[in-house]
Amino acid sequence: MTDIPTPAHLLGLIRQFRGGESEPGKDAIAGLLAKLEGEDSAGLLEAAQDLARIEPASEVAIALLRRRLDHADWDARFSAACGLGCFEPAFPILHAMLDDEDAQRRALGAVGTSCSPRAADAASDLIRLLEDPDAEVRLRAVDAIRSVADDAGVRASASVVPRLTALIQDADERISSRAIAALTAFGPAAAPAVPAIASLLRHPVYWVRWEAIGALADMDAEAVATAVPDLIPLLRSTLAEERSAAAEALGCIGPAAAASQDELARLGGEDPDEMVRAYALEALARIRNPGTIDE
């Protein structure tokens, strides 16, 4: 399927399910097809998932969703791309969109591909799009790469971690944050990204710092030990949530975070926030007694 059906052909397909005498099966399919043209994005995705299991209705469903890709509203286009990802026959369409001259079409292609069970088949193109000149394309490519991070072929790529690491410094804060989250999905292979992630602990935007702290807490303790000097200043943050998160990350690092013990002890005894005190004392215990670190 390479072309969108003509209006006449599409109308004929729709009539198979909406026209003629009422039948339970036709009525159910007609209701699902109607959701593909509605305003409820969640309902659209659920309908697409159901229709993907009804082979006779797939062609018309894919056609309706492809037409929705030209909707005036971005959210409608986004939901259409996600819906297309539910249909295996639509994968070549989405894959081809990754090479479209129009940046928005490339972004939508990445969105739809990330929703497809065949997403890993497009990994090399998605990795390439991490360097796309358009910010929206880079953002959606990062999300798509994160969705296939468990694939052996993706993990074996020599370029994926360096390219995600480079995006940590992207001017678009959404991309920085999502790149950090994507890197954590690569486990020990993401160790070279630790210095770049640690540099964001000084970022002026709180939620970017939050993503960086969370990533360091989730990564291999030995690999993130070099970030301890960058985490310690956050124990004096004016935000209780940030002090708690920094303490938790230091506890996850364990004995290699020994330099933070004085600050953690101070928090554990003096911080006005009960949760901060609890996280600080737990971190101290994990640093002093590695046996308490969860495996």
Side-chain angles (χ1 to χ4, degrees), residues 199-223:
S199 72
L200 291 186
L201 296 175
R202 299 182 293 278
H203 197 281
V205 177
Y206 165 68
W207 55 266
V208 175
R209 297 197 304 273
W210 179 266
E211 286 283 1
I213 297 170
L216 293 171
D218 290 340
M219 295 175 73
D220 179 71
E222 183 177 350

Side-chain angles (χ1 to χ4, degrees), residues 48-279:
Q49 291 169 340
D50 289 338
L51 287 164
R53 294 190 287 268
I54 307 172
E55 187 173 348
S58 292
E59 185 176 359
V60 64
I62 291 172
L64 288 171
L65 289 169
R66 291 184 72 186
R67 289 183 178 277
R68 192 179 175 93
L69 290 175
D70 295 320
H71 197 285
D73 180 69
W74 165 257
D75 289 339
R77 297 193 297 274
F78 184 96
S79 61
C82 289
L84 280 170
C86 298
F87 296 87
E88 196 280 336
F91 176 75
I93 299 167
L94 294 166
H95 194 178
M97 288 171 64
L98 301 179
D99 288 318
D100 200 284
E101 292 182 358
D102 181 72
Q104 190 170 101
R105 300 285 290 186
R106 294 197 300 278
L108 289 171
V111 169
T113 300
S114 70
C115 298
S116 171
R118 291 184 56 190
D121 293 344
S124 60
D125 290 307
L126 292 169
I127 293 171
R128 171 176 54 81
L129 290 184
L130 294 175
E131 296 182 327
D132 195 274
D134 185 86
E136 192 67 32
V137 176
R138 296 196 301 277
L139 177 67
R140 303 307 170 183
V142 170
D143 289 343
I145 288 295
R146 185 181 183 185
S147 74
V148 295
D150 289 336
D151 180 79
V154 175
R155 286 179 173 268
S157 170
S159 61
V160 63
V161 168
R163 291 189 183 185
L164 285 171
T165 301
L167 289 179
I168 289 175
Q169 303 299 334
D170 198 281
D172 188 318
E173 292 158 359
R174 300 174 304 160
I175 296 174
S176 296
S177 175
R178 305 273 255 282
I180 293 170
L183 280 162
T184 62
F186 284 86
V194 169
I197 295 174
S199 72
L200 291 186
L201 296 175
R202 299 182 293 278
H203 197 281
V205 177
Y206 165 68
W207 55 266
V208 175
R209 297 197 304 273
W210 179 266
E211 286 283 1
I213 297 170
L216 293 171
D218 290 340
M219 295 175 73
D220 179 71
E222 183 177 350
V224 301
T226 56
V228 169
D230 299 289
L231 283 165
I232 291 175
L234 295 182
L235 297 176
R236 291 185 175 271
S237 169
T238 58
L239 301 173
E241 297 89 346
E242 194 162 42
R243 297 196 300 277
S244 295
E248 182 179 21
L250 288 162
C252 290
I253 294 171
S260 66
Q261 290 182 90
D262 289 346
E263 279 296 307
L264 288 170
R266 179 187 62 78
L267 285 186
E270 302 176 2
D271 198 276
D273 187 281
E274 181 180 0
M275 188 65 69
V276 175
R277 295 197 300 273
Y279 273 108

